[in-house]
Amino acid sequence: MTSNMITGVILAGGRSSRMGEDKGLVMVDGLPLYAHIANRLEPQVTHLMVSSNQNQEKYAVRYPVIGDLIPDFAGPLSGMLAALLASETEWVVCVPCDVPDFPDDLVQQLWKGKGQSPAAYVSDGNRAHPALCLLNKSLLPSLKSYLEQGERKVMLFFSQCGAKEVLFDNTGDFSNLNTPADVKLWQQSSRKGL
């Protein structure tokens, strides 16, 4: 694998209702949360963009921004569809804007684990984390059709397209920051080096 084959996409297109504000723009240690994601993902890919449906001008200060093609916050698959359409590379890796501790070799492990499948997603052994995934542009027609039928479940789509589950060891790497309390706890633990 070479990184010029893969575009990275930060998924920041949700409503962020539990956070109370746009999750990707929550300030942590002087940086918006999406920038923490970008700093970890950027070395693993050649191109990076942000999928967002609000505050796009704030994200666009640093990266190209794409919005969902399906209105009303249709979920992560809608962001993935937009990313696949916008990407100039055959492969796209997606990372949500609220998972700042994903591994430094996420893309490499997903690439190795995908086999011949057009998609691969993270599992920590206890549960799947399908929004952390690697997708091939060949999925565009089936993903578009799936969403047009009103379907939104990521794991159901991945099951239908034969996506590979890739097992990662450390469950803590995939913790979501959904609330201000989650952010505060992560901030404290990262300062302690935990």
Side-chain angles (χ1 to χ4, degrees):
M1 178 196 76
T2 57
S3 59
N4 63 2
M5 299 166 59
I6 298 177
T7 296
V9 178
I10 300 169
L11 298 174
R15 283 193 174 97
S16 303
S17 52
R18 285 183 283 174
M19 189 65 76
E21 60 182 298
D22 189 340
K23 217 186 272 190
L25 298 175
V26 170
M27 296 301 287
V28 182
D29 294 334
L31 287 175
L33 190 51
Y34 88 92
H36 289 275
I37 307 296
N39 290 341
R40 190 169 282 242
L41 184 57
E42 204 162 19
Q44 301 184 51
V45 296
T46 296
H47 309 288
L48 193 56
M49 26 185 197
V50 177
S51 168
S52 175
N53 295 307
Q54 54 187 340
N55 301 308
Q56 291 183 337
E57 69 289 345
K58 292 182 180 176
Y59 291 105
V61 168
R62 191 163 168 187
Y63 298 106
V65 177
I66 50 171
D68 289 357
L69 307 175
I70 298 167
D72 300 324
F73 299 91
L77 283 177
S78 185
M80 293 173 193
L81 175 67
L84 286 169
L85 283 165
S87 173
E88 295 178 9
T89 62
E90 185 181 354
W91 290 92
V92 169
V93 68
C94 298
V95 176
C97 70
D98 62 355
V99 184
D101 285 330
F102 64 92
D104 292 332
D105 63 349
L106 173 78
V107 176
Q108 182 181 6
Q109 288 195 56
L110 286 171
W111 181 265
K112 284 190 341 192
K114 73 175 178 53
Q116 298 302 308
S117 175
Y121 63 91
V122 167
S123 171
D124 64 19
N126 293 318
R127 71 194 248 333
H129 300 275
L132 289 117
C133 60
L134 179 67
L135 307 170
N136 187 274
K137 275 181 101 77
S138 65
L139 291 168
L140 272 169
S142 57
L143 178 53
K144 187 170 184 287
S145 173
Y146 182 81
L147 288 166
E148 284 171 350
Q149 293 167 28
E151 297 288 353
R152 299 292 181 261
K153 293 180 180 164
V154 182
M155 285 305 296
L156 179 58
F157 176 73
F158 280 175
S159 174
Q160 290 177 3
C161 75
K164 295 288 185 192
E165 179 182 73
V166 180
L167 188 61
F168 287 76
D169 293 332
N170 190 353
T171 58
D173 290 346
F174 304 106
S175 296
N176 293 79
L177 307 184
N178 290 313
T179 66
D182 292 341
V183 172
K184 189 174 182 181
L185 189 63
W186 177 70
Q187 198 170 13
Q188 290 168 347
S189 65
S190 62
R191 282 190 183 136
K192 291 177 190 169
L194 299 175

